[in-house]
Amino acid sequence: MLLAPALLVVVVLLVLPLLWLAWQSVRQDGGFTLAHYERFLTDPVYWMTFLQTFRIAAIVTAMTVLLGYPVAYVAAGLSQRWSIVVLTMVLLPFWTSVLVRAYAWLILLQRNGIINSALTGSGLIDAPLKLVNNEFGTVMATIHILLPFMVLPLYATMKKIPGELTMAGASLGGSPLHVFLRVFLPLSLPGMIAGMVLVFVLTLGFYITPELLGGGRTYMVSMLVSRNIEVYNEWGAASSISVVLMVCVFLIFRLVSLLIPFERIMGTR
Amino acid sequence: MIDQQERARVGVSIRQATKSYGPFRALDDVSLDVAQGEFVSILGPSGSGKTTLLGILGGFVQPSAGSIWLGNRDITFEPPHKREIGIVFQNYALFPHMSVGENITFPLRARRLPKATWPDRLASALEMVELTGYENRKIHELSGGQRQRVALARAMIFEPGLILMDEPLSALDKQLRENMQIELKRLHKRLGSTIIYVTHDQREALTMSDRVAIMNRGKLVQVDTPERLHDHPANTFVARFIGEATLLPVQRESDSVVRLGQQALKTAHPMPAGSNLHLVVHSEKLVVADGSEPEASNRLSGTVTDTLYQGESIRVFVKLDDGGEMSFRLPSNHAGRALMKSPGEAITLALHPEDTVIVPEAG
């Protein structure tokens, strides 16, 4: 009974629209059609967009692991007070709008932006680097925006690894590297997988960073959806793309949940 | 490289170890020599410095001053993984993602010993702790006692000269704990390794150890055999900590006599220095004075205030005429019951001069 209000919200605001979306994608001129789905097999723009989206998601995921793991590791090893300071610093950008942060990156990375003028001014490079309006800029900003989603589950998992385990590893003759590789890393893996799933899935649906920083060269699935609606007014095509992306996300969750329980991905256990 | 023979025979020497955290001294000038093959317990209340001492021995805490020797090797600045000390942690610290076998062979893997030698050593380690056939079990499938034994096998498989145990039995229930105490003791006899055992359970320390080191506020108060600790505590702290003792303030009368109120009490032991003296009365040392006690016995008279039936014995509480309260035990057999008094009745107790222990106030 207590679930009823929440259930109602989910059904009205999520399930029904999704069903409507699926319905849209198989209808044309009052009849049933699979034409929108056929385009995935015939139109190279479609599958190339999906490919680029997945590639960007993979790069962003890998980079957030590389950047986020050390941060989480340090934060988990610090005293309560200092780990709060580190985590606050991780979360601080989280409290500003994604749009603001994307524009901030644009200012930093553009042709005569801060980074390029600093580099040319110091004589390190002759001509400004192309840092934005391409995949690099998109990836950069997306990493920045999604980093907390990697750091937080990693931190939570690492915090739960008893300090005694690494002490035991050392007392049994394990060098710090050996203990890290054999004890700490395997035990932090659930947090890493959780973070990877979150970052990967969130990147798949990212819209603002490729739109603002991709310069038209970085074409991600979400942009395909918006073009279909804004430019071609093709709701059926847009819906089919959304449905396919959603199925992809479901499949990813399903596959990962074979590895670790779903509750752990969401950090509830 | 130290050869096997040598390694199995090392003693430990803690020399004037001090650990300060700002003005607070967690460990204050502690020196302790443990002979090879000896079983020494470190006993003290929480916050007494036991854990700090253990951390210094294991290499997890750097002493502010002093040095630690393992045999003739100064290990004060050796990192933990080079010390060759086996540690059994309070919560066992087994690796949850590894099987029993993988846990126990961790030290062999860490030392890059040839894999061909593992199965034999694993088998004998499992046999030692009576877990043969358990190598593929997951840690979460084991009971508390089994986990304890896996931790023990893991800490022993690399044949360390010294094994540290940090309250290894505190997570077990009473029955299992007593069984494991006997098992540990037996294992120690068989292997002959040096063991330093940290506990806050005085009975456990007395049962298992060759010697017990009592700690309080970062200092060693007394290091002695269990018998000496119990019968001849160094001061009031030890006397209160060990056994079931009542302490009564007394005045010095001469080198062998003290006064408790109006009552003069003889002691057969050397009188401690200082003026702040206490009589230590262990309940088992008191007998009811019925004329059968030795002539030389000290006598204490009082009134029974309460009796407590405790199964194998009856504990009788007495308020002394000269002030102070104490208790003694009567066996709950026919002879014991014959001597029983009801609350309110007068009673005279006898305490032999050999059992009359006088201690100074703890400093």
Side-chain angles (χ1 to χ4, degrees):
Chain A
M1 273 314 282
L2 287 171
L3 277 175
L7 208 61
L8 197 71
V9 170
V10 170
V11 168
V12 171
L13 296 181
L14 193 70
V15 177
L16 290 181
L18 285 178
L19 287 174
W20 179 78
L21 206 66
W23 176 242
Q24 284 275 306
S25 70
V26 291
R27 266 178 60 92
Q28 196 161 40
D29 306 328
F32 177 81
T33 176
L34 282 176
H36 298 309
Y37 290 97
E38 273 160 29
R39 231 170 280 142
F40 282 90
L41 302 171
T42 54
D43 191 341
V45 170
Y46 269 54
W47 54 261
M48 277 174 70
T49 305
F50 267 81
L51 208 66
Q52 185 168 34
T53 306
F54 273 79
R55 199 185 61 239
I56 288 174
I59 295 169
V60 169
T61 307
M63 291 306 293
T64 47
V65 170
L66 288 178
L67 293 171
Y69 198 95
V71 175
Y73 183 84
V74 168
L78 290 171
S79 67
Q80 187 74 29
R81 194 200 307 172
W82 286 108
S83 70
I84 287 171
V85 172
V86 172
L87 289 181
T88 309
M89 273 159 36
V90 170
L91 279 174
L92 214 54
F94 208 52
W95 297 329
T96 40
S97 136
V98 176
L99 203 60
V100 171
R101 278 180 286 165
Y103 275 119
W105 276 106
L106 197 61
I107 291 165
L108 281 172
L109 297 174
Q110 64 194 325
R111 204 178 148 74
N112 47 7
I114 296 167
I115 291 172
N116 266 325
S117 34
L119 286 173
T120 43
S122 66
L124 280 169
I125 51 168
D126 297 327
L129 297 172
K130 263 211 79 53
L131 298 174
V132 79
N133 292 328
N134 54 13
E135 199 175 294
F136 177 83
T138 308
V139 167
M140 195 76 174
T142 313
I143 289 169
H144 174 235
I145 288 161
L146 293 181
L147 202 53
F149 289 97
M150 179 60 74
V151 174
L152 293 180
L154 266 175
Y155 172 81
T157 310
M158 288 175 179
K159 255 308 201 223
K160 283 186 214 142
I161 301 174
E164 276 191 345
L165 292 186
T166 45
M167 279 163 77
S171 79
L172 296 167
S175 64
L177 182 66
H178 186 89
V179 173
F180 175 76
L181 292 177
R182 290 263 158 204
V183 179
F184 197 87
L185 187 63
L187 290 174
S188 66
L189 224 47
M192 193 155 96
I193 293 173
M196 285 170 77
V197 171
L198 288 175
V199 170
F200 193 86
V201 165
L202 286 170
T203 312
L204 289 184
F206 247 50
Y207 176 69
I208 288 175
T209 50
E211 183 74 63
L212 286 181
L213 301 164
R217 286 176 202 81
T218 314
Y219 212 54
M220 287 178 74
V221 172
S222 53
M223 295 160 73
L224 200 58
V225 175
S226 87
R227 291 291 183 285
N228 266 303
I229 292 169
E230 286 173 3
V231 182
Y232 307 112
N233 199 24
E234 269 281 5
W235 283 80
S239 301
S240 70
I241 297 163
S242 308
V243 169
V244 169
L245 187 63
M246 202 161 64
V247 170
C248 288
V249 170
F250 272 128
L251 283 176
I252 290 167
F253 268 103
R254 180 76 197 112
L255 278 175
V256 173
S257 71
L258 294 177
L259 275 172
I260 54 168
F262 184 72
E263 293 88 343
R264 273 184 100 152
I265 302 176
M266 304 316 287
T268 51
R269 206 177 65 185
Chain B
M1 188 76 188
I2 316 153
D3 67 90
Q4 282 310 316
Q5 197 66 23
E6 185 72 16
R7 203 196 279 174
R9 292 168 171 272
V10 293
V12 187
S13 181
I14 301 160
R15 298 182 189 168
Q16 295 167 321
T18 295
K19 178 66 189 177
S20 320
Y21 295 100
F24 173 70
R25 289 200 158 183
L27 207 61
D28 193 354
D29 194 23
V30 166
S31 293
L32 177 65
D33 280 302
V34 178
Q36 59 101 353
E38 200 178 11
F39 193 128
V40 171
S41 288
I42 314 272
L43 176 64
S46 52
S48 60
K50 305 184 301 250
T51 313
T52 308
L53 184 56
L54 201 78
I56 284 179
L57 282 167
F60 307 114
V61 178
Q62 275 301 313
S64 315
S67 60
I68 311 294
W69 294 72
L70 202 57
N72 49 17
R73 196 157 59 101
D74 182 353
I75 59 163
T76 315
F77 300 107
E78 290 254 38
H81 66 281
K82 294 201 173 132
R83 292 197 170 196
E84 300 290 321
I85 295 176
I87 305 181
V88 178
F89 288 87
Q90 191 165 4
N91 300 311
Y92 321 133
L94 297 176
F95 306 128
H97 57 302
M98 297 184 196
S99 67
V100 169
E102 286 168 334
N103 261 285
I104 298 177
T105 53
F106 183 92
L108 308 182
R109 185 191 287 277
R111 284 174 179 72
R112 298 170 200 280
L113 296 181
K115 268 201 170 166
T117 63
W118 295 10
D120 279 352
R121 298 184 71 161
L122 174 60
S124 67
L126 283 168
E127 197 195 321
M128 176 182 74
V129 294
E130 292 168 29
L131 284 175
T132 303
Y134 277 72
E135 54 266 50
N136 293 323
R137 295 287 185 94
K138 290 259 170 286
I139 297 306
H140 65 84
E141 294 169 353
L142 302 180
S143 71
Q146 289 168 337
R147 284 176 203 207
Q148 216 305 273
R149 295 203 298 242
V150 173
L152 205 60
R154 189 179 66 172
M156 286 178 163
I157 196 169
F158 59 104
E159 292 167 6
L162 169 66
I163 295 170
L164 303 179
M165 299 192 185
D166 184 10
E167 313 215 6
L169 306 181
S170 60
L172 306 179
D173 62 56
K174 190 170 179 290
Q175 187 76 46
L176 194 56
R177 192 160 64 225
E178 283 171 5
N179 289 342
M180 284 301 296
Q181 284 174 6
I182 296 164
E183 242 178 90
L184 268 181
K185 185 91 184 138
R186 205 173 287 154
L187 213 54
H188 169 247
K189 257 201 190 114
R190 195 144 57 86
L191 297 170
S193 17
T194 311
I195 294 181
I196 294 182
Y197 189 100
V198 171
T199 180
H200 66 265
D201 182 337
Q202 52 111 348
R203 189 166 278 277
E204 194 168 282
L206 295 183
T207 316
M208 304 186 67
S209 325
D210 296 321
R211 284 190 302 156
V212 181
I214 308 265
M215 287 196 76
N216 187 32
R217 290 194 223 132
K219 283 182 195 277
L220 277 184
V221 184
Q222 188 175 6
V223 187
D224 245 322
T225 60
E227 291 89 338
R228 294 271 321 161
L229 274 182
H230 188 269
D231 293 346
H232 298 284
N235 61 30
T236 48
F237 176 79
V238 180
R240 282 199 186 93
F241 208 67
I242 301 280
E244 190 180 83
T246 307
L247 272 72
L248 299 169
V250 291
Q251 278 77 49
R252 178 201 303 277
E253 190 87 345
S254 72
D255 279 351
S256 62
V257 181
V258 290
R259 205 156 38 75
L260 173 67
Q262 302 304 311
Q263 187 75 43
L265 300 170
K266 276 197 300 294
T267 173
H269 303 289
M271 186 71 68
S275 56
N276 213 340
L277 300 178
H278 292 260
L279 170 70
V280 182
V281 197
H282 284 119
S283 56
E284 75 278 0
K285 304 257 153 92
L286 287 166
V287 292
V288 178
D290 58 354
S292 67
E293 74 279 3
E295 191 54 39
S297 290
N298 298 308
R299 294 197 175 50
L300 299 160
S301 50
T303 316
V304 173
T305 55
D306 208 354
T307 62
L308 211 59
Y309 177 77
Q310 291 185 322
E312 78 288 350
S313 64
I314 302 161
R315 195 167 171 188
V316 184
F317 294 86
V318 176
K319 185 169 173 22
L320 296 176
D321 296 343
D322 294 304
E325 272 189 85
M326 57 169 67
S327 71
F328 72 102
R329 285 177 185 281
L330 285 170
S332 58
N333 55 20
H334 180 72
R337 282 176 211 272
L339 296 168
M340 263 288 276
K341 305 266 182 178
S342 311
E345 287 188 89
I347 193 167
T348 306
L349 297 169
L351 183 67
H352 196 275
E354 283 290 341
D355 293 330
T356 306
V357 176
I358 313 294
V359 295
E361 179 76 41

